[in-house]
Every structure is written in C-alpha cells, then in structure tokens.
Amino acid sequence: MEDKQYEFDGSQNELILDLSNKMRFVSYFLIAGGILAVIIGLLGLNPGVIIQAVVDILIGVWTLKAASSFKLIVDTEGNDIVNLMGALGELRKLYRLQYWLLIIALVFLVIALVLGIVAGFVASSR
C-alpha cells in the first residue's frame, strides 16, 4: 500500500508561491542592504552599524531559505509536508534570533533606566 503525503491544492499553492516571492524580495533587500551597511560600517569604523548589518544579513539569509522551502512546496509533488516543515524550521531560526535580540535590548533598557534613576538621585542629593 502506497503512503501518499498531503498535497496542497491549486489555490493553496498560489498563496504559498505568493508568500515565497514576497519573502524572496524582502530577503534580497535585507542581504543587499546588510552588505552595503557592513561596507559603510567598516569605512566609518562603526561597530554598531556592522552588528546591525550582520543581523540584517542573517535575517535575510534565513528568510531566503524559508522562501526557497515554501517554493519547493509548489514546485514538487509528494514532499509538501517535508518542505513546509523545512520552511517553518527556517522561520523558527529567524524569530528565535529576533526574540533574543529583543530580550537583550530590554535588559539593556532596564539597566539604562536603573542607572538613570541612580544618577538622578546622586545628582539631586548634591
């Protein structure tokens, strides 16, 4: 007995292909912008710009990988679920990165807030 995997229908494939195309455009933009920002950051010796550029490049690469997996859903038969899971795995990497970057930013924000409050108390007690 043949074990056939689920196949998305035509309208579902159109939606997935449109998503893939939009993701591919965004990924190319992020990668190109990131590369340009790395060059600008290196010329200006600005580590902040370089770090942001590397993050943009990583986001672009993972978005491109996810877009390619989504496109495989449309282009192949018999592997829709495997390709969907690959795309979701790449999106998970992307959102895991963004999740931790936001956590780190919040920690620094709290530290800055606490230091600001302490500095305010020290300045007012003089």
Side-chain angles (χ1 to χ4, degrees):
M1 181 156 47
E2 186 179 321
D3 185 25
K4 187 164 169 119
Q5 276 203 6
Y6 179 82
E7 283 293 317
F8 292 105
D9 66 28
S11 66
Q12 292 167 331
N13 278 336
E14 285 180 31
L15 178 95
I16 292 168
L17 181 60
D18 184 55
L19 172 64
S20 173
N21 290 336
K22 301 293 190 293
M23 290 174 70
R24 188 173 307 281
F25 175 82
V26 169
S27 68
Y28 290 151
F29 189 85
L30 286 169
I31 293 168
I35 291 170
L36 182 61
V38 164
I39 294 167
I40 291 170
L42 288 172
L43 292 175
L45 298 174
N46 188 334
V49 170
I50 296 169
I51 291 169
Q52 179 61 50
V54 169
V55 169
D56 285 347
I57 291 169
L58 283 174
I59 291 172
V61 167
W62 285 330
T63 302
L64 182 59
K65 287 182 178 182
S68 297
S69 292
F70 280 122
K71 188 157 182 346
L72 282 174
I73 293 170
V74 177
D75 292 344
T76 63
E77 286 189 25
N79 293 313
D80 282 3
I81 299 302
V82 171
N83 291 326
L84 177 61
M85 294 311 296
L88 292 175
E90 294 302 325
L91 287 176
R92 186 170 103 183
K93 288 178 191 176
L94 167 66
Y95 282 96
R96 184 183 296 144
L97 172 67
Q98 291 179 336
Y99 171 86
W100 284 110
L101 289 174
L102 288 172
I103 294 295
I104 291 167
L106 287 172
V107 167
F108 280 115
L109 182 65
V110 168
I111 290 170
L113 182 63
V114 168
L115 290 176
I117 290 171
V118 169
F121 281 132
V122 169
S124 67
S125 66
R126 289 185 187 179

